[in-house]
Amino acid sequence: MKRVRPGRMLRLRLLVFVLGFMLLALPVLALDEGVVKGNNVNVRKGPGTNYAAITQVKAGQALYILSTQNNWFQVRLSSGTEGWIRNDLVNRVLKKVRVKGSTVNIRTGPGTNHKVAGKVYTGQVLSVLAEKNGWYKVHIGGIAEAWIAGWYTVDDPSGGSSNAGNAGNTGSNGNVGNAGSGSVTGGTVKITANVLNVRQGPGTNYPLVTKIGLNEQHNVLAQQNGWYKIKVNNQEGWVSGDYVQYTPPANPPAATSPGTPDNSGTSGTSAPDGSAPADAASGSGQTPTAVQITGNYVNIQERADLNAPVVEQANSGDAFVVLDSKNGWYQVRLTNDKIGWVSSEYAQPYSGTLPSRSVQKKEVLIVPIADGKTFKIIDNGGRPELKLEGWTDKQYRFRKTKEEVKMILELDGYSTRKYEGKVERVGITQLKVYPERSKAIVEMDFNFVPAPGIGKTDSNKVTVIPVGMAGTQSRSLVGKTIVLDPGHASVQPGGWPDPGALGSKTKIHEKDVNLAITLKLKTMLEQGGAKVILTHSGQTTLSLAGRAAIANNLNADIFVSIHANYNNKPAIAGHTTYYYAPASKPELYAQRQQREKLASAVQREMVKSCGRKDNGILQANFAVLRETKVPSILVETAYLSNPDEEQLLCQDWFRQKLAEGIFNGIKSYFSN
Ligand SMILES: [Zn+2]
């Protein structure tokens, strides 16, 4: 290195200082803001899938767009991390608006005919992503489709640039009001991630304090850079605004009411705050033998093209055999032997053994109870496992209860923790945690009769208790012959199987949904001791009367046809069960009592298990009900035309719950 005279050095330093000062004093240029569209989107080192992934971002995360190159955006995340994202996976923020009305409804679509999805309040600043018929699609953490009537807003003069100057302050997530980096207190946050990291400071670079779970609510102590400061177990910490739903104080800055947590049932991966980098395939040219899906509702498409029709949707943890790969896409074979393409943005190479029905355990609820002691619920393929961190198998016991669907767990040790929620995807309809003298009590209500297994403790004082379903071996089912009829899939004159209804958005075929539920139901009934015959297992040349004839020829005990419903009005939803026994048909009318009993038992248990709207039982002259000589029902599980239920019907856990409900109904029919 060349020596520089001291005086020259000083002048250089001064020049750098003055230049630096000038840069600071220059008006800050507005940076474009964006919001991530896809789930678990890779942020890469450079503009192409051949660059390594640095981290992943989730749908709804806010970021700044620094530059563009080909089809890629260079972005800066709220953590300060910079990288590249495919531009079709980011919605640009068109402008910012400020809420005018005192309390304004947010809806799931652009019109008052759409469902209310949330509320916003005077002065809140929202990022606008799209405009339709005078309505704005806005970005609100925790709400996927949020629309507000444009006439309840005014354009925010600060636009997208007001926060842009503060380095790293990219967290304006639209529901923080005009947060800037200022510290506004009040309001509450409700956690929308299954598991969320609480950190020592407002950024993913800060150390972890603890973890909290879905639907937990906490008072907000402060806000900064899109992060919220909360208090958990007397420890203060920060959570990312991308994984919470913020409710401002009713009369700012008056005291807040925490309210009660409500519905869960959310599925999702447990990547806590976007800091967990997933190592996606980075164009090494090698095709892995299998891939694992890294997001939920990931589309498997007919061609390697984001606009191609969707064959099916897959969820986090699902693993598939890879047949081919090209341009950042994998061709995969699904478990039902269908073939489709998945973008490598949502799939990573998988080296484990490929399960036939891949089930990955997921933490779906975390309740910190005391220092070093955490109660967790694990989703093990739709079935819960209780994970006690900090207790051995000698430090808990189950208390006897009179209600067979309730389990009460006593955990040794002092606690002040109170929590209330539910975890629908594993069948827990209510969960309460509260202290009682020197114990913490966990009270759980299930939508099935639970049977706790034996807890196993490892060397770290972590005890895992599986929870099975009691009475699967039901005496009432032993020796029964049950014919199950997965609706549709009859081969048509052109040689193609009738798909039944199509999902409005996913175009999923009803016949595939019906078959998936039927196969689960078959397994349960067989485990219960019944003999189960399917009318077909994929497609059939039988007529509807031919399906009924299978049950008639076997003199089966019952015939159950499984369907998914459809209506031109998307708002219509819920469970319905049909039977047929009119007085005009004496041979059917003779079975009226049994047919009606079977229908109402299945309907009742399906509603209990899945919790959608109860449309009751109805009579209908359907061929399979008319032609069966044995008691028969036709189950319309849920609506493929309803956006919520379409998503649910695409998911394995919901199909499992439907099958469990129908199973419980059939069991109940035979046992009394
Ligand atoms: Zn149907």
Side-chain angles (χ1 to χ4, degrees):
M1 191 206 243
K2 231 179 172 179
R3 282 184 152 260
V4 184
R5 276 182 294 125
R8 195 182 147 93
M9 188 64 154
L10 188 68
R11 278 205 304 279
L12 258 175
R13 276 193 188 147
L14 199 67
L15 188 66
V16 169
F17 178 78
V18 169
L19 268 175
F21 188 78
M22 278 172 65
L23 281 173
L24 282 175
L26 282 172
V28 177
L29 290 171
L31 284 175
D32 273 347
E33 286 182 49
V35 175
V36 179
K37 261 200 269 187
N39 230 338
N40 296 18
V41 173
N42 284 328
V43 181
R44 295 179 181 278
K45 278 189 181 154
T49 48
N50 52 324
Y51 288 92
I54 306 167
T55 184
Q56 289 194 320
V57 286
K58 301 188 125 197
Q61 249 178 277
L63 43 75
Y64 275 118
I65 299 165
L66 306 175
S67 69
T68 65
Q69 195 175 316
N70 300 328
N71 299 322
W72 291 76
F73 283 142
Q74 188 188 20
V75 298
R76 188 197 298 144
L77 310 181
S78 54
S79 59
T81 306
E82 291 182 5
W84 294 81
I85 294 188
R86 252 171 42 199
N87 65 7
D88 56 340
L89 299 172
V90 175
N91 273 320
R92 247 178 216 270
V93 173
L94 304 177
K95 64 174 178 179
K96 298 233 174 174
V97 292
R98 189 181 290 274
V99 179
K100 268 200 305 191
S102 64
T103 305
V104 179
N105 283 335
I106 292 291
R107 295 183 179 269
T108 57
T112 50
N113 54 324
H114 292 271
K115 254 191 2 200
V116 174
K119 288 184 180 353
V120 288
Y121 304 87
T122 321
Q124 253 184 276
V125 176
L126 305 171
S127 298
V128 175
L129 306 176
E131 189 175 353
K132 197 175 178 184
N133 308 332
W135 286 67
Y136 294 134
K137 184 180 177 180
V138 293
H139 169 51
I140 294 180
I143 304 178
E145 280 281 316
W147 290 80
I148 185 170
W151 50 92
Y152 286 121
T153 68
V154 282
D155 285 6
D156 188 47
S158 60
S161 63
S162 64
N163 297 336
N166 307 325
N169 173 23
T170 56
S172 157
N173 66 1
N175 59 6
V176 191
N178 197 7
S181 61
S183 174
V184 187
T185 51
T188 56
V189 284
K190 179 163 136 187
I191 312 306
T192 57
N194 286 328
V195 179
L196 185 63
N197 288 334
V198 182
R199 297 187 176 275
Q200 281 177 17
T204 53
N205 50 326
Y206 288 92
L208 198 64
V209 175
T210 184
K211 291 183 186 225
I212 53 177
L214 187 70
N215 287 335
E216 283 201 35
Q217 292 204 3
H218 295 278
N219 292 333
V220 172
L221 308 175
Q223 301 178 12
Q224 199 179 316
N225 300 348
W227 285 66
Y228 296 92
K229 190 178 186 182
I230 59 170
K231 198 170 186 177
V232 183
N233 274 350
N234 287 323
Q235 287 174 291
E236 289 183 351
W238 294 80
V239 290
S240 163
D242 289 325
Y243 301 96
V244 303
Q245 201 176 324
Y246 174 69
T247 308
N251 290 308
T256 60
S257 61
T260 44
D262 56 22
N263 172 43
S264 80
T266 318
S267 60
T269 58
S270 48
D273 54 14
S275 60
D279 187 22
S282 52
S284 57
Q286 286 176 319
T287 300
T289 53
V291 289
Q292 190 163 36
I293 303 302
T294 57
N296 280 312
Y297 315 125
V298 169
N299 289 335
I300 312 291
Q301 295 171 291
E302 273 181 18
R303 298 182 308 276
D305 175 356
L306 284 175
N307 298 317
V310 174
V311 176
E312 193 144 300
Q313 291 194 319
N315 288 314
S316 183
D318 291 347
F320 304 114
V321 172
V322 173
L323 305 172
D324 195 3
S325 73
K326 67 173 178 192
N327 311 331
W329 288 75
Y330 296 121
Q331 190 185 35
V332 294
R333 183 169 44 227
L334 306 177
T335 38
N336 55 9
D337 278 335
K338 276 195 268 184
I339 289 167
W341 291 84
V342 61
S343 162
S344 64
E345 298 291 337
Y346 306 111
Q348 61 185 28
Y350 181 69
S351 55
T353 47
L354 206 65
S356 54
R357 253 199 288 139
S358 65
V359 171
Q360 241 205 1
K361 292 188 186 186
K362 285 178 199 146
E363 289 181 347
V364 286
L365 182 78
I366 293 188
V367 186
I369 287 191
D371 217 20
K373 290 188 171 181
T374 306
F375 171 81
K376 292 184 178 178
I377 303 238
I378 310 293
D379 170 11
N380 183 7
R383 190 64 67 218
E385 272 182 13
L386 314 181
K387 195 172 184 184
L388 315 177
E389 292 180 358
W391 291 274
T392 69
D393 54 2
K394 305 275 181 294
Q395 294 170 318
Y396 78 87
R397 64 208 57 80
F398 287 102
R399 190 185 283 179
K400 286 212 163 54
T401 79
K402 285 207 179 102
E403 292 166 72
E404 57 174 8
V405 294
K406 195 187 268 300
M407 257 170 53
I408 300 179
L409 186 63
E410 293 181 359
L411 301 168
D412 289 349
Y414 182 77
S415 151
T416 56
R417 191 67 208 274
K418 278 188 187 167
Y419 174 78
E420 223 179 303
K422 56 181 172 178
V423 193
E424 283 184 344
R425 59 180 292 149
V426 294
I428 299 178
T429 55
Q430 194 180 31
L431 184 138
K432 283 183 192 167
V433 177
Y434 54 90
E436 198 183 86
R437 278 178 242 110
S438 63
K439 289 185 174 64
I441 307 296
V442 180
E443 230 180 273
M444 288 162 281
D445 286 356
F446 295 84
N447 61 21
F448 58 92
V449 179
I454 294 164
K456 287 197 185 105
T457 306
D458 69 11
S459 55
N460 295 319
K461 272 182 92 171
V462 173
T463 302
V464 175
I465 310 163
V467 179
M469 197 163 133
T472 309
Q473 277 293 338
S474 165
R475 190 168 300 156
S476 62
L477 288 174
V478 174
K480 296 290 187 293
T481 300
I482 298 170
V483 174
L484 299 181
D485 174 43
H488 307 279
S490 292
V491 174
Q492 303 296 297
W496 50 273
D498 157 36
L502 294 186
S504 304
K505 198 171 157 198
T506 60
K507 307 299 171 215
I508 193 168
H509 293 179
E510 184 200 333
K511 70 175 173 68
D512 297 324
V513 173
N514 299 343
L515 181 61
I517 298 165
T518 306
L519 291 174
K520 289 175 187 296
L521 177 59
K522 176 176 183 275
T523 306
M524 287 176 212
L525 291 167
E526 283 173 345
Q527 280 170 357
K531 187 178 162 201
V532 179
I533 294 97
L534 301 184
T535 55
H536 71 90
S537 57
Q539 59 182 52
T540 179
T541 52
L542 287 173
S543 65
L544 292 172
R547 298 186 191 217
I550 292 181
N552 296 342
N553 295 339
L554 289 165
N555 192 25
D557 290 283
I558 55 168
F559 173 96
V560 177
S561 189
I562 308 286
H563 287 253
N565 222 331
Y566 194 92
N567 192 294
N568 288 332
K569 294 184 184 134
I572 290 179
H575 311 291
T576 321
T577 305
Y578 290 93
Y579 71 104
Y580 190 54
S584 59
K585 300 211 177 278
E587 69 285 6
L588 299 181
Y589 193 66
Q591 285 181 358
R592 183 178 179 116
Q593 207 196 342
Q594 287 148 286
R595 288 180 175 230
E596 196 181 329
K597 180 181 160 190
L598 178 60
S600 48
V602 165
Q603 175 68 12
R604 181 190 69 229
E605 294 300 325
M606 185 164 54
V607 169
K608 217 200 270 182
S609 178
C610 303
R612 303 297 304 172
K613 186 168 174 272
D614 183 359
N615 295 323
I617 62 168
L618 294 167
Q619 287 216 50
N621 183 2
F622 293 138
V624 288
L625 301 181
R626 186 182 60 236
E627 303 296 331
T628 37
K629 296 195 166 79
V630 303
S632 58
I633 53 169
L634 187 146
V635 183
E636 290 286 6
T637 51
Y639 280 81
L640 277 171
S641 46
N642 174 267
D644 292 344
E645 294 192 348
E646 179 185 2
Q647 292 293 10
L648 288 169
L649 286 166
C650 289
Q651 295 190 62
D652 194 68
W653 70 268
F654 189 73
R655 295 169 177 179
Q656 176 77 16
K657 293 287 155 223
L658 285 166
E660 278 174 18
I662 300 166
F663 169 79
N664 288 336
I666 292 174
K667 207 172 64 173
S668 156
Y669 167 76
F670 283 122
S671 55
N672 48 54

